[in-house]
């Protein structure tokens, strides 16, 4: 469970203010683009095979051969970061997509039908909300074994309540507007109103949600890998590298834990700034 | 607002949510691929006698609803079931570890409330420069997950400091000071009393960072909203001393929101503690849950999950209720429990 669940997907005001600065937004955009690029082509630009032992000395310092040093088995840290980028960046995107699709559908259904449907959906969402994301993910690992698939599905479910609650509020507000009533009077079918008018109108709110949710999903997934339940050795993502780097710290070589930490923190910061920008845009649209 | 109705309504919702959550957690056993027998027999090829014994011991022949009921009613009388891996009672495994987690969360809450609310008050009242600095620090804090802070603290307190020269003076002094006194141990939960407290300091700070930054921001923004309101201006015009304005007109009005969000934060800490427990090798329920999940020890996983869910839901409802008592207006507009 992260601040994500606490904040209910909302963005702190000060972050929103910061995102109004164009240069900061640009820096964030560039940083995120670089990370996404790394995720796409990382394995091809990595100087070494990420699992190759003794590509340098054990717990080596950064040198010209190993730009970010080596870990306790002499594996090249830069190569491991580059090859782990794919999972670290794209797995949270899967979580955000899944939770957004299911959450929005539930929200629109609840707002459209109201009554018992709405009550049932609210109860389901309450139950999901009652199980902290981290606990749900660990439960999934206990059932289906270690590795990323189970935590990804579990976190997708855990993120549904945040998406559904915010979207439902927006959907109810939209449905109360006069143009929807006008469409109904004209005899436009319910499905057409839903898919041609209601859902497009919700896009800004949902987009803001997705941008904010990405950062939280990334942190939670990195935490799962840090616990040793996510990405399994010899493969690595940033979370499992940070955890593996603990031994390096005790051996006086902190780089192997610090560099992946920096990548996680920078990506999350960049995404939260972009998310704040999108949120501001969504609020603008709302008016 | 009818209080009894409100309390009963909330309580009913709470019990229903917990019951449904327990069904979800228990059905994990059903959805698990493979036969629990292979896990129970510990990989060895079980002979028919052993199979019969295990089936009887874990009631595997009963229908699922009977087993669910036995499990749930067992929990109420203190029978938490038996671990697949350790072959001992789950209660005996969970209880001592819960104490560690509880102490960790208590210390973390103290840190969050003192530093978070304190820095929020400073940011709201001590001028632009302080506000800016706090804004920057909390922005950084919000991006620092517990496991990264844990790594940073371990690096600072456990091993050499030669890597980053800019840091040296302040950290080195702290480090020598702490080392010479044997303070801030990095691993394990230590013995009892004071020793336990020293062992919990670094984990508590790791756990606190992100939540602290969040509470600081919440405190600041709710105080600023009050400071710019009309009744504060009126009080100023009437010549009421600044300190009293802050105490009775600003802080008291902002308190319900701060308290409500702090309550939700504390509720979430018990689950989030797992990360720093594993990082620092503390034997809490979070690390127990992680170990049990890695070894597919479902009875332990289920009880621990249910415990964490119950704590989360109850504390959440409590926070909701307290803010409803302090500020009845928030009930209608507040979140659903």
């Amino acid at each position: 469970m992260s601040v994500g669940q606490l904040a209910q997907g909302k963005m702190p005001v000060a972050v929103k203010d910061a995102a109004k600065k164009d240069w900061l937004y640009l820096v964030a955009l560039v940083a995120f683009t670089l990370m996404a690029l790394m995720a796409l082509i990382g394995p091809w630009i990595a100087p070494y095979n990420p699992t190759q032992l003794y590509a340098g000395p054990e717990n080596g310092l950064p040198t010209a051969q190993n730009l970010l040093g080596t870990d306790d088995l002499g594996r090249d840290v830069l190569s491991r970061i580059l090859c782990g980028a794919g999972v670290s960046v794209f797995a949270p995107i899967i979580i955000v997509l899944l939770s957004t699709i299911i959450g929005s559908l539930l929200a629109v259904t609840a707002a459209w039908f109201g009554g018992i449907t709405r009550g049932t959906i609210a109860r389901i969402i309450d139950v999901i909300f009652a199980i902290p994301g981290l606990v749900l993910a660990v439960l999934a690992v206990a059932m289906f074994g270690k590795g990323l698939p189970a935590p990804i599905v579990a976190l997708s479910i855990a993120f549904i309540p945040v998406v559904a609650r915010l979207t439902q509020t927006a959907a109810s507000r939209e449905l109360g507007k006069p143009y929807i009533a006008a469409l109904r009077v004209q005899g436009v079918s319910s499905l057409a109103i839903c898919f041609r008018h209601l859902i497009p109108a919700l896009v800004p709110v949902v987009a803001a949600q997705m941008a904010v949710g990405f950062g939280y999903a990334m942190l939670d997934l990195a935490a799962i890998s840090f616990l040793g339940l996510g990405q399994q050795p010899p493969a690595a993502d940033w979370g499992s590298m940070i955890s593996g780097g603990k031994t390096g710290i005790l051996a006086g070589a902190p780089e192997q834990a610090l560099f992946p930490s920096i990548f996680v923190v920078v990506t999350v910061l960049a995404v939260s700034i972009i998310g704040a920008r999108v949120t501001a845009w969504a609020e603008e649209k709302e008016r | 607002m009818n209080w009894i109705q409100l309390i009963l309504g909330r309580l009913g919702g709470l019990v229903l949510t917990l019951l449904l959550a327990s069904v979800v957690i228990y059905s994990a056993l059903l959805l698990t691929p493979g036969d629990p027998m292979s896990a129970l027999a510990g990989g060895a090829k079980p002979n028919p006698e052993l199979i019969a014994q295990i089936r009887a011991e874990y009631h595997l022949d009963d229908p699922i609803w009977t087993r669910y009921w036995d499990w749930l009613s067992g929990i109420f009388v203190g029978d938490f079931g038996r671990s697949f891996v350790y072959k001992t009672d789950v209660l005996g495994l969970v209880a001592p570890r819960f104490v560690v987690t509880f102490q960790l969360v208590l210390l973390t809450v103290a840190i969050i409330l003192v530093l978070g609310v304190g820095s929020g008050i400073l940011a709201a009242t001590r001028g632009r420069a302080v506000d800016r600095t706090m804004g920057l620090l909390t922005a950084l804090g919000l991006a620092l997950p517990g496991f990264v802070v844990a790594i940073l603290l371990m690096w600072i307190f456990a091993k050499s400091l030669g890597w980053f020269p800019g840091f040296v003076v302040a950290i080195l002094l702290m480090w020598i000071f702490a080392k010479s006194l044997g303070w801030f141990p990095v691993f394990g939960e230590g013995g009892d009393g004071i020793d336990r407290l020293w062992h919990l300091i670094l984990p508590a700070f790791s756990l606190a960072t992100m939540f602290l930054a969040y509470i600081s921001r919440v405190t600041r923004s709710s105080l600023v909203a009050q400071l710019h309101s009309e009744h504060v201006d009126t009080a100023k015009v009437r010549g009421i001393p600044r300190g009293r304005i802050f105490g009775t007109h600003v802080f008291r009005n902002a308190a319900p929101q701060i308290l409500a969000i702090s309550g939700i934060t504390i509720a979430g800490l018990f689950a989030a503690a797992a990360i720093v427990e594993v990082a620092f090798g503390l034997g809490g329920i979070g690390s127990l849950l992680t170990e049990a999940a890695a070894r597919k020890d479902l009875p332990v996983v289920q009880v621990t999950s249910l415990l964490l869910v119950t704590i989360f839901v109850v504390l959440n409802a409590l926070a909701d209720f307290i803010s409803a008592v302090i500020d009845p207006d928030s009930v209608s507009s507040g979140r659903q429990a």
Side-chain angles (χ1 to χ4, degrees):
Chain A
M1 135 113 210
S2 67
V3 175
Q5 214 171 4
L6 302 180
Q8 305 247 308
K10 288 188 196 103
M11 180 64 72
V13 179
V15 180
K16 269 188 217 162
D17 290 345
K20 281 179 194 140
K21 293 177 189 127
D22 282 323
W23 64 267
L24 196 64
Y25 178 61
L26 261 179
V27 170
L29 219 53
V30 169
F32 184 72
T33 311
L34 280 179
M35 295 295 174
L37 217 61
M38 267 178 57
L40 280 173
I41 60 169
W44 286 279
I45 57 170
Y48 296 93
N49 181 334
T51 54
Q52 183 199 328
L53 303 179
Y54 302 101
E58 278 175 31
N59 294 323
L61 292 172
T63 59
Q65 277 77 44
N66 306 99
L67 283 176
L68 299 184
T70 48
D71 69 6
D72 54 334
L73 297 174
R75 294 174 296 195
D76 184 51
V77 172
L78 176 64
S79 304
R80 288 175 73 72
I81 288 179
L82 285 171
C83 294
V87 165
S88 302
V89 175
F90 287 123
I93 292 181
I94 298 176
I95 295 174
V96 168
L97 282 178
L98 279 178
S99 59
T100 302
I101 292 169
I102 303 172
S104 313
L105 280 180
L106 282 177
V108 170
T109 314
W112 186 267
F113 291 105
I116 293 177
T117 315
R118 186 195 201 125
T120 314
I121 289 176
R123 179 54 62 192
I124 294 171
I125 287 170
D126 276 355
V127 172
I128 300 176
F129 183 78
I131 308 177
L134 200 69
V135 175
L136 200 64
V138 174
L139 196 63
V141 169
M143 292 160 64
F144 300 106
K146 295 185 212 173
L148 283 171
I152 287 177
V153 173
L155 286 178
S156 306
I157 296 172
F159 276 63
I160 288 175
V162 175
V163 179
R165 282 180 183 170
L166 285 174
T167 314
Q168 198 194 317
T169 315
S172 296
R173 194 169 47 227
E174 200 66 29
L175 282 176
K177 287 185 179 170
Y179 82 94
I180 298 278
L183 287 170
R184 276 189 181 147
V185 170
Q186 287 169 37
V188 180
S189 78
S190 300
L191 275 181
I193 296 179
C194 256
F195 284 96
R196 289 220 195 105
H197 301 279
L198 177 60
I199 291 177
L202 296 177
V203 165
V205 178
V206 173
Q209 266 307 297
M210 291 174 80
V212 178
F214 176 86
Y216 294 131
M218 185 166 185
L219 288 182
D220 277 355
L221 207 65
I224 298 287
S225 281
F226 181 84
L227 291 177
L229 303 175
Q231 185 78 304
Q232 293 301 304
D237 64 1
W238 296 344
S240 66
M241 286 182 73
I242 298 172
S243 156
K246 259 164 58 181
T247 46
I249 288 181
L250 299 179
E255 294 86 356
Q256 49 190 285
L258 291 181
F259 284 122
S261 302
I262 291 170
F263 276 88
V264 170
V265 171
V266 167
T267 313
V268 170
L269 262 178
V271 171
S272 76
I273 291 168
I274 296 170
R277 195 60 180 243
V278 181
T279 312
W281 168 71
E283 279 168 4
E284 200 98 328
K285 280 251 166 183
E286 202 59 47
R287 273 178 219 131
Chain B
M1 176 62 62
N2 186 340
W3 285 110
I4 298 168
Q5 219 173 359
L6 176 77
I7 294 170
L8 283 181
R10 288 283 161 90
L11 220 57
L14 183 108
V15 171
L16 188 60
T17 304
L18 278 179
L19 264 179
L20 289 173
S22 79
V23 171
V24 171
I25 289 171
Y26 194 77
S27 59
L29 197 64
L30 273 183
L31 295 170
T32 304
D35 191 2
M37 287 301 294
S38 57
L40 287 172
K45 194 167 166 53
N47 56 30
E49 231 169 86
L50 186 62
I51 289 179
Q53 188 199 327
I54 292 174
R55 292 201 85 90
E57 190 183 329
Y58 290 94
H59 303 287
L60 291 182
D61 292 321
D62 293 349
I64 185 70
W65 282 110
T66 326
R67 272 155 62 194
Y68 168 72
W69 178 247
D70 287 344
W71 177 69
L72 195 66
S73 52
I75 284 173
F76 281 106
V77 296
D79 172 18
F80 285 28
R82 275 165 66 80
S83 157
F84 285 173
V85 173
Y86 299 102
K87 313 281 183 202
T88 54
D89 283 345
V90 176
L91 182 63
L93 285 173
V94 171
R97 282 165 170 259
F98 180 73
V99 176
V100 175
T101 302
F102 187 74
Q103 290 168 333
L104 172 65
V105 169
L106 221 58
L107 186 61
T108 311
V109 169
I111 293 170
I112 290 175
L113 286 187
V114 172
L115 294 184
V117 175
S119 65
I121 293 175
L122 284 183
T125 55
R126 293 296 140 106
R128 209 171 160 69
V130 178
D131 195 14
R132 275 288 172 86
T133 317
M134 289 297 173
L136 218 68
L137 285 177
T138 49
L140 192 66
L142 276 175
L144 285 177
F147 52 89
V148 169
V149 183
I151 287 294
L152 289 175
L153 290 179
M154 269 183 208
W155 170 47
I156 293 168
F157 286 101
K159 213 59 194 182
S160 82
L161 293 149
W163 188 77
F164 190 47
F167 245 7
V168 170
V169 180
I171 300 294
L172 200 66
L173 281 176
M174 259 169 82
W175 182 67
I176 291 170
F177 182 59
K179 268 273 168 175
S180 62
L181 292 172
W183 282 4
F184 307 145
V186 170
F187 288 110
E189 68 267 12
D192 286 323
I194 294 292
D195 184 41
R196 174 68 61 82
L197 185 66
W198 292 134
H199 277 85
L200 290 180
I201 283 183
L202 294 185
F205 269 99
S206 312
L207 183 54
T209 307
M210 209 176 201
F211 297 94
L212 193 155
Y214 185 62
I215 295 295
S216 174
R217 292 232 148 141
V218 169
T219 307
R220 179 199 167 273
S221 63
S222 44
L223 286 179
V224 166
Q226 289 296 327
L227 280 169
H228 292 299
S229 62
E230 281 179 9
H231 71 271
V232 172
D233 286 338
T234 315
K236 273 186 200 155
V237 171
R238 287 176 58 204
I240 297 172
R242 277 182 66 99
R244 238 183 91 201
I245 296 182
F246 188 78
T248 55
H249 295 287
V250 176
F251 195 73
R252 189 176 288 176
N253 281 330
Q257 199 193 354
I258 298 171
L259 208 73
I261 292 177
S262 304
I264 308 167
T265 306
I266 296 165
L269 283 178
F270 278 88
I275 296 159
V276 301
E277 282 170 13
V278 170
F280 288 97
L282 290 178
I285 38 172
S287 53
L288 176 69
L289 176 67
T290 311
E291 284 159 27
R295 300 171 75 170
K296 296 199 140 209
D297 191 353
L298 278 169
V300 176
V301 170
Q302 288 174 327
V303 168
T304 324
S305 310
L306 190 65
L307 186 65
L308 287 171
V309 168
T310 310
I311 293 171
F312 183 64
V313 172
V314 170
L315 288 183
N316 240 327
L318 215 62
D320 235 30
F321 180 70
I322 291 173
S323 56
V325 171
I326 298 176
D327 178 18
D329 291 344
S330 77
V331 175
S332 47
S333 59
R335 328 164 315 102
Q336 314 115 289

